[in-house]
Amino acid sequence: MILRQILRLSSLFRSAVSIHARRNIGLSAIVFNKTKELDPVQKLFLDKIREYNTKSKQAGGPVDAGPSFQKDIDESLARLQRAYGEGDLTKFPEFKFE
């Protein structure tokens, strides 16, 4: 009887230690990944995304889009409005639940 209780407590102790160790390893892996230097391809990719973000904020829309792009967007919006009715198709719809 005492042996069963000891074995039960030891299995509970092992599972608790196992969960605690896994969590600590997971946290240390995240901290390690944030502190290490990015791989050159990842760094280049992130730099290009940041550069595009600043350019699109300055341009107020898509970067290097000519008048044909705007014409295509206007035609697509007109076609969608004819197909699906009125409303502003450039913003997310507002739902009202009662």
Side-chain angles (χ1 to χ4, degrees):
M1 181 118 165
I2 294 175
L3 183 60
R4 283 186 188 168
Q5 288 180 348
I6 291 173
L7 289 176
R8 190 177 328 150
L9 286 176
S10 72
S11 67
L12 288 174
F13 180 71
R14 271 187 279 140
S15 66
V17 168
S18 172
I19 290 171
H20 187 67
R22 273 188 272 145
R23 286 183 183 166
N24 282 341
I25 289 172
L27 285 175
S28 63
I30 291 171
V31 170
F32 177 71
N33 282 338
K34 288 191 181 211
T35 58
K36 76 175 188 176
E37 185 63 30
L38 290 176
D39 141 10
V41 175
Q42 287 176 334
K43 185 171 179 357
L44 180 65
F45 182 72
L46 288 176
D47 290 344
K48 288 294 180 181
I49 288 175
R50 289 180 183 128
E51 177 184 341
Y52 184 84
N53 187 23
T54 57
K55 283 183 179 180
S56 68
K57 284 182 182 177
Q58 290 173 352
V63 177
D64 299 332
S68 63
F69 177 77
Q70 189 61 38
K71 180 182 169 196
D72 290 341
I73 286 182
D74 292 338
E75 288 175 359
S76 297
L77 287 175
R79 186 176 52 239
L80 288 171
Q81 279 192 328
R82 282 193 306 269
Y84 296 109
E86 299 298 317
D88 187 9
L89 298 176
T90 59
K91 69 175 192 172
F92 193 78
E94 295 178 12
F95 300 104
K96 295 179 183 174
F97 297 104
E98 297 178 6

